[in-house]
Amino acid sequence: MTVCAATNNPGKLRELRRILERLGYTVKSLRELGIDLDPAETGATFAENAALKAAAFCAACGLPTVADDSGLCVAALGGAPGVYSARYAGTHGDDAANNRKLLAAMAAVPAGQRGASFVSAVCFRLPDGRALAVSGSCPGSIAFGETGHNGFGYDPLFVPDAVGVPGSEKTLPNTARRSYAELADAEKDAISHRGRALAKLAEELPAFLNRPQEGSIG
Ligand code: IMP
């Protein structure tokens, strides 16, 4: 199946593409589809924003569309930055400023109280209006400084509790306390919020597609 990966975030697009392609989908980016659209993320939850983006991009491209709304929820900050993760420091998508602000907000928080979780809400939308919503999360903690250069966003500050083992279903405790940005792609995808949400999507999609449409006979 060919799907539109509905994001303007290059880091997220790379991940959506590699995970969805591994799961057997053909992926088209917004750029490949000639779509220049930036729907306002006015929802109060990740799921609302994912649904809103999936609907807007699906209407624009006419293809089955996968949208992800995601973010980092830090316990010591009452769940912030949460749905505001992309614009935590004010400017949408300024990763460096967001990371600086997060480190400053966490400066006085001791090890042991730096728990956080990454959350991804994914909405798969068909041009006929049917939609399937799934989500995934990844528990971890916030480091005291940035490490690693892979990935995007808060990756250099987020230390997941476990890491994936490439070529296997297994995960291992992250005893070396490597950040998301220090993991190989396959190590991150196996345990990441987005990897987990998309694995759930692939699992639930066949039954969703076979379900009779409302109003159809049989
Ligand atoms: P949105 O889903 O477009 O609202 O943006 C999500 C924001 O959360 C991104 O801009 C990043 O700051 C952050 N984010 C989401 N997923 C990840 C990830 O896998 N690594 C690092 N940051 C992420």
Side-chain angles (χ1 to χ4, degrees):
M1 182 193 299
T2 298
V3 297
C4 162
T7 182
N8 289 310
N9 178 322
K12 208 191 269 191
L13 173 62
R14 266 197 313 276
E15 290 199 3
L16 284 174
R17 188 188 285 285
R18 77 175 182 238
I19 299 170
L20 287 168
E21 285 181 349
R22 190 177 39 76
L23 292 168
Y25 300 90
T26 301
V27 175
K28 296 278 181 205
S29 67
L30 295 174
R31 181 191 288 210
E32 285 165 336
L33 295 168
I35 292 169
D36 182 11
L37 192 68
D38 191 12
E41 297 180 21
T42 52
T45 63
F46 294 116
E48 279 173 25
N49 280 333
L52 188 150
K53 287 189 272 191
F57 286 116
C58 184
C61 73
L63 281 177
T65 296
V66 178
D68 151 296
D69 197 70
S70 46
L72 182 60
C73 302
V74 182
L77 303 178
V83 290
Y84 302 108
S85 290
R87 51 197 142 128
Y88 183 43
T91 306
H92 192 107
D94 188 342
D95 292 345
N98 288 339
N99 286 348
R100 276 197 302 276
K101 179 167 176 180
L102 180 60
L103 272 179
M106 294 293 288
V109 180
Q113 291 175 35
R114 299 176 72 90
S117 134
F118 252 121
V119 177
S120 163
V122 164
C123 181
F124 172 88
R125 171 117 181 175
L126 290 169
D128 67 11
R130 284 181 295 158
L132 174 62
V134 290
S135 66
S137 66
C138 177
S141 58
I142 304 301
F144 285 91
E146 297 191 19
T147 51
H149 299 284
N150 297 331
F152 69 103
Y154 299 96
D155 277 356
L157 289 179
F158 182 73
V159 179
D161 289 345
V163 295
V165 180
S168 140
E169 299 280 288
K170 277 198 302 195
T171 64
L172 291 173
N174 185 10
T175 44
R177 296 196 51 75
R178 288 186 293 153
S179 76
Y180 257 3
E182 292 179 288
L183 303 184
D185 294 348
E187 288 179 305
K188 179 178 177 186
D189 294 344
I191 50 89
S192 81
H193 50 307
R194 188 165 298 104
R196 286 178 166 148
L198 292 173
K200 216 178 287 173
L201 177 69
E203 202 179 294
E204 294 186 16
L205 206 49
F208 170 78
L209 294 172
N210 280 330
R211 230 173 274 156
Q213 284 187 48
E214 241 170 72
S216 69
I217 298 165

